[in-house]
Amino acid sequence: MIKPLFWEADTLKIVDQTKLPEQYQLIEINDHQEMAEAIKRLSIRGAPAIGIAAAFGLVVGLRQFRDLSKVEFFKKLDAISDILLNTRPTAVNLEWALKRMKQIARENENLNNKKIIKILTKEAQKIHEEDIISCQKIGKNGAEIIPQKAQILTHCNTGGLATGGLGTALGVIITAHKQNKDIKVFVDETRPLLQGARLTMWELEHENIPCTLNTDSMAGYLMAHENIDLVIVGADRITKNGDAANKIGTYSLAVLADYHNIPFYVAAPSSTIDLNLKSGKEIPIEFRSGREISNFRNTQTAPKNCSTISPAFDVTPNKLISEIVTESGFYPEK
Ligand code: MRU
């Protein structure tokens, strides 16, 4: 299984996903600032993975403050949590994991700081382990809706690199492949940062699953001419009514799938469902630097200083989603 992060001998290392697939490089994360920077520049990314990363980021950040008074220690805990939370606004898993960590700390506030850090370390490991199990269950539940000989279209990266385990949408694909369903995957390159081309293609090849890369703008052609049986994607935040935010381009894909009568599935853990938000209109959307679209790595591909707009996510309304697969079945339960 491909992992985005390792906690070994009290040391935190992450795979620098900005370097993949050319280089597989681990970076050691020594404090919360380093973790916050890594999340912002997408060295670690994907909704469940950034939740897990933030939980460990809180632990490595707090370690340097273990000798403070209880009041000061808890002030630092809130400050570190805010720094990690403010890295990326759309994926709710970040907020979910940090809230859970803060609550555990509060429940144990009568213990000394060293013991609280130990308990928080265990909680971060638990969040990670739970995600591994959750991915397995999503994979199993989702594989039931994958027919034999399916041609599947996916977007962005939703595999091991984006989660603690097997993946969400990619976990479903991998599980269906392991069940000997004869599947073939078309992978949207996912402009502008190419998570599909760089990461999903790399993961699928690693799993020996037949896969073909296409640019995002080819999706309509593929649906019209290449017998796409279904689309499956992940999510960064799903609201109470079943609207789902995911990587920019997902909404267009859902509209195209609807036009071609192709089922459109979303796979995500319950930690991605935000019951506090009624509809997708309330989801905060991350806007990234225009440089990411006017340049390709260090090469300028548009006129210098041109006006740009770069939302990193869009929201697919629930009426375009056939099913949302979670670890406990389908959301909402029917
Ligand atoms: O900007 P990214 O790479 O963090 O965006 C990731 C996605 O949009 C994924 O599809 C989503 O997080 C689901 S991952 C299991």
Side-chain angles (χ1 to χ4, degrees), residues 28-65:
E28 193 170 314
I29 300 289
N30 296 298
D31 61 35
H32 56 284
Q33 295 287 5
E34 286 181 11
M35 180 51 94
E37 287 310 314
I39 295 174
K40 272 189 209 158
R41 69 171 180 265
L42 310 198
S43 284
I44 186 155
R45 30 97 12 233
I50 57 175
I52 299 163
F56 280 111
L58 190 67
V59 169
V60 290
L62 266 182
R63 284 201 298 212
Q64 55 194 309
F65 301 115

Side-chain angles (χ1 to χ4, degrees), residues 169-272:
L170 216 60
V172 171
I173 289 171
I174 293 169
T175 308
H177 173 74
K178 289 204 169 122
Q179 292 173 351
N180 294 321
K181 291 192 173 165
D182 186 11
I183 55 174
K184 178 174 175 189
V185 188
F186 287 93
V187 178
D188 275 0
E189 65 171 348
T190 317
R191 279 273 294 151
L193 297 178
L194 307 185
Q195 288 92 329
R198 296 186 300 105
L199 310 175
T200 302
M201 286 301 287
W202 187 71
E203 288 201 41
L204 286 169
E205 286 190 353
H206 188 85
E207 296 287 341
N208 287 319
I209 300 178
C211 52
T212 299
L213 177 65
N214 54 272
T215 67
D216 302 348
S217 53
M218 293 170 188
Y221 175 91
L222 296 179
M223 289 184 195
H225 301 288
E226 289 291 331
N227 300 324
I228 300 294
D229 296 297
L230 64 109
V231 179
I232 187 161
V233 297
D236 289 81
R237 193 184 299 233
I238 297 168
T239 51
K240 198 171 178 189
N241 69 342
D243 293 347
N246 191 47
K247 179 51 56 195
I248 192 76
T250 304
Y251 169 46
S252 333
L253 213 54
V255 172
L256 278 171
D258 184 51
Y259 181 80
H260 289 93
N261 274 320
I262 294 171
F264 186 92
Y265 299 118
V266 172
S270 303
S271 55
T272 302

Side-chain angles (χ1 to χ4, degrees), residues 45-48 88 156-158 162-163 168 195 234-236 246-247 313:
R45 30 97 12 233
R88 299 196 74 193
C156 198
N157 172 263
T158 59
T163 63
T168 55
Q195 288 92 329
D236 289 81
N246 191 47
K247 179 51 56 195
F313 298 94

